[in-house]
Amino acid sequence: MALLQQLGHASRAEIARRSGLSRTTVSSLVSELLSEGLVVERIDWGRRVPSAEGGRPATLLTLDPSSGAFLGIDFGHTSVRVVLVDRSGEMLGDDVEERDVDHDASEALNTAGRLAEALLERADLSPQRVLGAGVAVSAPLRSGASPVFASSRIFSEWAGVDIDERIAVRFGCPVHIGNDANLGALAECTFGVARGAENVLYVMLSAGVGLGLWLRGELFTGQTGTAGELGHVVVDPEGRICRCGNRGCLETVAGAEALIGALGYARGSDVHLAEFLDLARQGDRGAVRLLADAGRAVGRALAGVCSILDPALVVIGGELAAVGDILATGIRELIERDTSPTAGRSYEVVSGDLGPLASALGAAALAMDSESRQMLAPGGPVAPA
Ligand SMILES: [Zn+2]
């Protein structure tokens, strides 16, 4: 099912080839998924299966969109975003509301519930049709049966808040939580610009700076779940104190808060992020300079990661990515300059396709993924033959 989510549609032969399962196993799994109504068949008249009679049209399998939907909730620092996605990966709706998420967990959770209910109503779906919900949070998480925040300093107001419990009670479905940069990576690799790629670095540039590692077609979260904390790599040992307690982290140089703070200082008044991005697009000297420097700082940190992991693609996401090339140029320049010459290659750096929706869509993808694993687990609703 995860393969069908990634590919959109595929023939039985294609599934066997890509999954490494035998054709007999694939056939029996598909028959069960068809009888459960989770997968539907359609004839592709444009595609022929070679045979002695000149080829019959191919039968493709696709996930049945009408079999239920998944919620993706993204708790950013200052906004709550919710998306509703059907089983085939099509987005049925999305909504966002500004909130002080960092400092009011309870209100943020209420907002998410209210936005989700409104989306379901607009899509004419009852809450019982929600098969799972995914939640993205802007904080490092320790892995385990029930993930917990890895740092008491980051997202401190959320410590001890039972996010999964609160959402599960409201929608009566399984809830899965992930870090927002990891889920942004999952989204771009499932629905976006990196669909089908095996090894991808997804750098998320927002209030925080995060890195999602997609390796061998899966998220890599490390030994304890906190891999990819690029924002807390020290780049300026004499720099500012970071919210994590260290000094001179990349986030204090290239995070949105650092950039708007620096421009506000120069202009003598507070600057909001939207205003900062507008100024940069209009070519404001200070805003452009800050973004170009931020891009180079991020590129320098990423160059080391590229040398170590040899990714096929570097995807830039997050709110700052909306300014496009000003940032990307600096990132490309430093990756090009500082990666190991022995690799003998250049790295492709692209903007994500999903923009501000990435983490919420990734949260929905996490819920879809978990549900299909559950379906295919021994003793699960569809046990493999
Ligand atoms: Zn830090």
Side-chain angles (χ1 to χ4, degrees), residues 270-295:
D270 281 354
V271 177
H272 295 286
L273 182 58
E275 204 183 328
F276 177 89
L277 296 176
D278 276 345
L279 283 165
R281 284 189 208 98
Q282 290 157 20
D284 175 85
R285 206 179 140 108
V288 169
R289 172 67 192 263
L290 280 164
L291 279 167
D293 289 348

Side-chain angles (χ1 to χ4, degrees), residues 23-348:
R23 284 201 182 209
T24 329
T25 309
V26 169
S27 274
S28 91
L29 278 173
V30 165
S31 310
E32 294 202 49
L33 291 171
L34 283 166
S35 70
E36 296 269 332
L38 300 172
V39 163
V40 286
E41 280 182 315
R42 66 180 180 81
I43 306 289
D44 184 352
W45 296 97
R47 236 159 116 174
R48 298 268 149 183
V49 178
S51 74
E53 300 85 52
R56 57 186 165 75
T59 306
L60 298 184
L61 299 155
T62 176
L63 296 170
D64 184 359
S66 66
S67 61
F70 297 86
L71 285 168
I73 301 168
D74 176 19
F75 292 112
H77 291 284
T78 56
S79 65
V80 178
R81 185 181 291 275
V82 183
V83 297
L84 185 66
V85 173
D86 74 18
R87 199 189 275 284
S88 70
E90 185 163 343
M91 193 166 77
L92 304 174
D94 78 291
D95 207 349
V96 63
E97 210 169 282
E98 298 297 313
R99 276 275 163 263
D100 184 4
V101 174
D102 281 358
H103 300 108
D104 197 343
S106 199
E107 188 47 42
L109 280 158
N110 285 337
T111 302
R114 184 165 42 74
L115 292 180
E117 278 164 5
L119 285 179
L120 285 164
E121 201 176 315
R122 265 181 266 155
D124 204 16
L125 281 173
S126 71
Q128 289 76 39
R129 301 286 299 284
V130 178
L131 302 168
V135 178
V137 292
S138 304
L141 295 169
R142 277 204 208 293
S143 52
S146 172
V148 291
F149 296 111
S151 164
S152 58
R153 287 173 179 272
I154 299 176
F155 236 46
S156 56
E157 301 291 319
W158 286 68
V161 176
D162 246 334
I163 304 176
D164 36 3
E165 177 82 27
R166 291 270 302 263
I167 294 170
V169 163
R170 194 144 178 175
F171 296 100
C173 66
V175 179
H176 305 273
I177 305 180
N179 167 267
D180 54 357
N182 288 341
L183 295 181
L186 177 62
E188 290 290 356
C189 295
T190 308
F191 310 116
V193 69
R195 194 169 172 160
E198 286 267 297
N199 299 298
V200 177
L201 301 182
Y202 172 84
V203 56
M204 196 187 81
L205 302 170
S206 294
V209 174
L211 180 67
L213 299 162
W214 179 258
L215 303 176
R216 293 184 169 177
E218 278 185 19
L219 274 181
F220 176 82
T221 57
Q223 182 67 29
T224 60
T226 62
E229 281 303 307
L230 188 74
H232 302 284
V233 167
V234 176
V235 294
D236 181 7
E238 311 299 322
R240 292 163 63 187
I241 300 292
C242 179
R243 66 194 167 109
C244 74
N246 271 349
R247 183 167 179 145
C249 295
L250 180 60
E251 198 170 290
T252 66
V253 174
E257 295 298 324
L259 301 184
I260 59 178
L263 195 67
Y265 171 77
R267 296 171 78 89
S269 63
D270 281 354
V271 177
H272 295 286
L273 182 58
E275 204 183 328
F276 177 89
L277 296 176
D278 276 345
L279 283 165
R281 284 189 208 98
Q282 290 157 20
D284 175 85
R285 206 179 140 108
V288 169
R289 172 67 192 263
L290 280 164
L291 279 167
D293 289 348
R296 281 191 282 272
V298 171
R300 189 176 300 122
L302 276 177
V305 187
C306 285
S307 290
I308 292 166
L309 295 177
D310 187 25
L313 199 63
V314 176
V315 179
I316 308 172
E319 287 162 294
L320 294 179
V323 296
D325 257 4
I326 311 173
L327 258 176
T329 304
I331 294 178
R332 273 191 206 106
E333 191 188 310
L334 268 284
I335 289 183
E336 190 71 29
R337 196 194 75 181
D338 288 355
T339 40
S340 162
T342 53
R345 55 166 293 201
S346 55
Y347 295 86
E348 199 181 341

